[in-house]
């Protein structure tokens, strides 16, 4: 009997993997590459368009091709990670992303560029959920998990702004092609490090057969949804193609949910979604990203067109937001996560971000950077960093190891779809308000300089109108987090729950609990 007890205890609690913190470095590096790639190309796009002869009508596809492939295939990528192994999927995603980036940087024509961007999206959809699910199965002790997800949350939140800085620097001082080539050293270092350092816990794969109908329905449904919002931005919400895409998306995603409720081995087990806490995280995070992505777009245009900043100066102007996100995530969120319930970080975090956004509704043509934009960005960064960290951790906390990949993919899906919605929705609101303002005021502008002034005032008026909507979205995010996320602080569960339930776990779950 003592020998049995001893054996059971050694199975339930082996020594933690000594390389897990080294592994975090390479996972974080890969995540930074994927997140910054969503914005780094934006600043380089005008130069790339001119060099490659891309028409104004087709230039949006440089962004859209990436978004469609990435957003549409995320659930499939998460399931592949669970089935094939997260480390193998992670390394494959990195190598493929590097190859696609090399193709994009070397592109001599429009078709090659669009193909490269789509390939980046495909391999990004493998890489992103594999990275997050590796963290989920390697860091399960409450305090360590808080630190690991603090770093990951800071990168997930601040990577987009880092992309603007890096994109501006590379475009202005080197060449737009380097916004693609820069991914290659990131990917090579992360892939080599991951290959030698990461040891995925044994027994945590989901070897059930692949749900092909689920893959087809989810991919087509998400592609239709993302493309619908992208098209709404360029062609309007009443465009028949836009409406058709939204209807098709609703039908396909409804069919997907129906299939998932009936098949034996679903692509997305509904138990991942129906958990109240995880559902609240996916919804609040997706809404918050809607607000953030729209803001990145407005501030970039405001700084470059209205204030006349260069690409590099524009990138550096986003530094306060990055500093705020890193501070909120690693110093506030990570330190308090084991002491307070997640909702008490997420709800107030989104509200602090809303206050920062509220300051930006006062933006005018001659607004002071130091007096308005800097404090607003600091508040936004602090709030979002504080909220993102527990959200990222909670989104995969408590899932069975075999579901870690798809649970991670849902986090990325909510962010990707939220980004597409935010860019289209807020840009449409801004454009409508700008047009109305110029129509009302242009008649009183007698000279050309006065007309140009009215156009700039109209642009800023449009931005502030859209930012009011973003404030409201963040308040709703806070309300959802405070209402739906009801779990207690992780530290309390870790002390008693994990130890007490170790024997009740089935064999597949033991390795994740043990780490």
């Amino acid at each position: 009997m003592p020998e049995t007890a001893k054996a059971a205890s050694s199975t339930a609690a082996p020594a933690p993997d000594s390389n897990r913190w080294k592994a975090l470095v390479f996972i974080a590096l890969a995540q930074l590459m994927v997140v910054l790639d969503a914005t780094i190309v934006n600043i380089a796009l005008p130069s790339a368009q001119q060099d490659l002869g891309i028409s104004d009508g087709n230039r949006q596809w440089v962004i859209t091709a990436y978004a469609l492939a990435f957003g549409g295939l995320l659930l499939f990528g998460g399931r592949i990670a669970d089935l094939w192994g997260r480390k193998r999927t992670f390394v494959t995603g990195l190598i493929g992303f590097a190859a696609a980036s090399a193709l994009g940087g070397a592109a001599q024509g429009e078709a090659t560029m669009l193909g490269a961007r789509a390939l980046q999206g495909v391999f990004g959809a493998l890489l992103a959920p594999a990275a997050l699910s590796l963290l989920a199965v390697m860091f399960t002790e409450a305090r360590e998990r808080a630190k690991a997800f603090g770093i990951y949350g800071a990168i997930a939140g601040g990577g987009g702004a880092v992309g603007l800085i890096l994109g501006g620097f590379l475009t202005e001082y080197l060449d737009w092609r380097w916004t693609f080539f820069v991914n290659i050293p990131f990917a090579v270092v992360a892939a080599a490090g991951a290959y030698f350092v990461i040891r995925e816990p044994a027994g945590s794969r989901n070897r059930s057969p692949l749900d092909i109908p689920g893959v087809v329905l989810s991919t087509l449904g998400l592609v239709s949804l993302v493309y619908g919002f992208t098209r709404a931005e360029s062609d309007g919400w009443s465009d028949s193609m836009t409406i058709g895409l939204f209807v098709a998306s609703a039908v396909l995603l409804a069919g997907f949910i129906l299939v998932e409720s009936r098949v034996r081995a679903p692509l997305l087990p509904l138990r991942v979604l129906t958990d109240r806490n995880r559902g609240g995280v996916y919804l609040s995070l997706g809404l918050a990203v809607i607000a953030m992505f729209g803001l990145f777009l407005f501030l970039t245009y405001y700084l470059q067109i209205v204030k006349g900043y260069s690409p590099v100066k524009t990138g550096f102007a986003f530094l306060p937001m990055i500093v705020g996100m890193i501070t909120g995530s690693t110093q506030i969120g990570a330190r308090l996560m084991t002491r307070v319930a997640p909702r008490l970080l997420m709800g107030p975090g989104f509200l602090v971000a809303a206050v920062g956004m509220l300051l930006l509704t006062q933006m005018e043509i001659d607004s002071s950077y130091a007096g308005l934009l800097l404090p607003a960005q600091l508040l936004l960064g602090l709030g979002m960093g504080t909220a993102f960290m527990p959200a990222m951790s909670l989104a995969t906390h408590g899932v069975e190891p075999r579901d870690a990949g798809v649970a991670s993919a849902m986090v990325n899906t909510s962010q990707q779809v939220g980004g597409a919605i935010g860019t289209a929705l807020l840009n449409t609101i801004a454009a409508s308000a700008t047009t109305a303002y110029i129509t009302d005021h242009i008649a009183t502008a007698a000279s050309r300089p006065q007309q140009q002034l009215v156009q700039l005032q109209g642009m800023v008026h449009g931005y502030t109108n859209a930012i009011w909507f973003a404030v409201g979205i963040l308040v709703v995010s806070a309300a959802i987090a405070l209402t739906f996320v009801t779990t207690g602080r992780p530290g309390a569960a870790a002390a008693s729950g994990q130890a007490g339930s170790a024997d009740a776990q089935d064999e597949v779950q033991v390795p994740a609990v043990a780490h």
Side-chain angles (χ1 to χ4, degrees):
M1 184 72 181
E3 286 181 11
T4 307
K6 185 177 178 181
S9 106
S10 66
T11 305
D17 181 2
S18 58
N19 285 330
R20 64 194 181 283
W21 291 106
K22 293 178 186 174
L24 175 61
V25 173
F26 300 113
I27 292 170
L29 187 65
Q31 177 64 13
L32 177 62
M33 180 187 72
V34 171
V35 174
L36 67 80
D37 207 75
T39 53
I40 194 172
V41 176
N42 288 13
I43 284 183
L45 185 55
S47 303
Q49 180 187 356
Q50 187 176 355
D51 274 10
L52 300 179
I54 301 173
S55 68
D56 285 347
N58 285 345
R59 69 180 175 186
Q60 66 161 336
W61 281 100
V62 177
I63 307 299
T64 305
Y66 178 82
L68 289 181
F70 189 68
L73 292 169
L74 271 167
L75 285 176
F76 177 59
R79 179 67 183 86
I80 289 293
D82 288 337
L83 175 67
W84 199 26
R86 296 171 191 93
K87 175 179 173 177
R88 189 184 299 176
T89 306
F90 182 70
V91 172
T92 302
L94 282 165
I95 294 169
F97 202 92
S101 298
L103 183 65
Q108 298 300 316
E110 181 179 321
T112 308
M113 168 60 75
L114 298 183
R117 287 293 281 164
L119 275 176
Q120 280 186 315
V122 170
F123 286 107
L126 281 178
L127 175 59
L132 184 56
S133 59
L134 276 170
L135 284 191
V137 298
M138 291 177 77
F139 293 90
T140 56
E141 192 276 319
R143 288 187 184 278
E144 289 195 348
R145 187 179 177 90
K147 289 177 185 175
F149 277 89
I151 295 167
Y152 187 91
I155 290 169
V162 173
L164 295 171
I165 295 176
L166 195 56
F169 181 84
L170 294 171
T171 302
E172 191 164 328
Y173 293 115
L174 292 172
D175 185 75
W176 66 264
R177 295 181 185 277
W178 281 96
T179 60
F180 287 88
F181 291 145
V182 74
N183 290 328
I184 298 172
F186 274 95
V188 169
V189 171
Y195 182 80
F196 290 109
V197 169
I198 291 177
R199 288 202 295 270
E200 188 178 349
S204 60
R205 291 191 196 177
N206 183 347
R207 299 183 186 275
S208 304
L210 194 60
D211 169 22
I212 301 297
V215 170
V216 173
L217 287 169
S218 67
T219 301
L220 292 178
L222 288 170
V223 164
S224 297
L225 184 62
V226 173
Y227 186 38
F229 278 105
T230 304
R231 191 176 173 90
E233 184 185 355
S234 57
D235 294 74
W237 296 91
S238 58
D239 174 67
S240 57
M241 181 70 170
T242 303
I243 295 169
L245 284 165
F246 284 136
V247 171
S249 173
V251 171
L252 288 164
L253 291 177
F256 170 66
I257 292 171
L258 184 64
V259 166
E260 298 309 276
S261 67
R262 297 188 176 187
V263 296
R264 190 172 177 181
L267 173 69
L268 175 63
L270 295 184
R271 60 180 174 269
V272 173
L273 285 180
T274 52
D275 178 86
R276 176 175 179 150
N277 293 293
R278 280 194 295 275
V281 166
Y282 297 145
L283 190 55
S284 62
L285 203 58
L287 286 171
V289 170
I290 289 175
M292 286 299 293
F293 264 69
L295 181 72
F296 279 150
L297 186 71
F298 298 146
L299 275 186
T300 301
Y301 279 115
Y302 174 77
L303 292 169
Q304 288 196 34
I305 296 174
V306 179
K307 305 293 278 187
Y309 284 19
S310 69
V312 169
K313 191 176 179 182
T314 299
F316 278 104
F318 280 95
L319 268 178
M321 192 184 300
I322 299 172
V323 170
M325 282 184 175
I326 293 172
T327 304
S329 191
T330 61
Q331 299 305 309
I332 300 174
R335 289 176 185 272
L336 293 180
M337 186 180 158
T338 56
R339 300 178 186 178
V340 300
R343 68 178 181 277
L344 299 181
L345 290 174
M346 291 175 63
F350 288 136
L351 289 176
V352 169
V355 172
M357 200 78 83
L358 189 63
L359 287 179
L360 291 175
T361 61
Q362 307 306 307
M363 201 162 57
E364 295 176 356
I365 286 180
D366 56 353
S367 291
S368 159
Y369 178 83
L372 180 70
L373 298 183
L374 189 149
Q377 286 193 68
L378 277 174
L379 285 171
L380 267 165
L382 280 170
M384 294 299 278
T386 301
F388 263 54
M389 201 284 300
M392 290 288 181
S393 176
L394 193 60
T396 55
H397 187 67
V399 296
E400 297 177 28
R402 62 197 173 113
D403 294 336
V406 288
S408 303
M410 273 304 301
V411 181
N412 288 285
T413 301
S414 67
Q415 288 181 291
Q416 188 64 26
V417 173
I421 293 170
T423 304
L425 179 63
L426 296 181
N427 207 35
T428 305
I429 293 167
S432 300
T434 296
T435 303
Y437 183 93
I438 292 173
T439 303
D440 290 344
H441 294 81
I442 199 72
T444 60
S447 64
R448 183 166 179 79
Q450 287 177 322
Q451 290 174 352
Q452 289 175 334
L453 180 64
V454 167
Q455 287 176 337
L456 289 176
Q457 287 172 334
M459 198 180 293
V460 175
H461 175 74
Y463 297 158
T464 54
N465 264 266
I467 289 170
W468 272 110
F469 279 85
V471 172
I473 290 168
L474 283 173
V475 171
V476 172
S477 290
I480 290 170
L482 290 167
T483 305
F484 282 80
V485 181
T486 56
T487 187
R489 62 187 178 90
S496 58
Q498 284 187 7
S501 62
D503 294 335
Q505 304 272 347
D506 64 281
E507 217 173 334
V508 169
Q509 291 174 280
V510 167
V513 175
H515 274 272

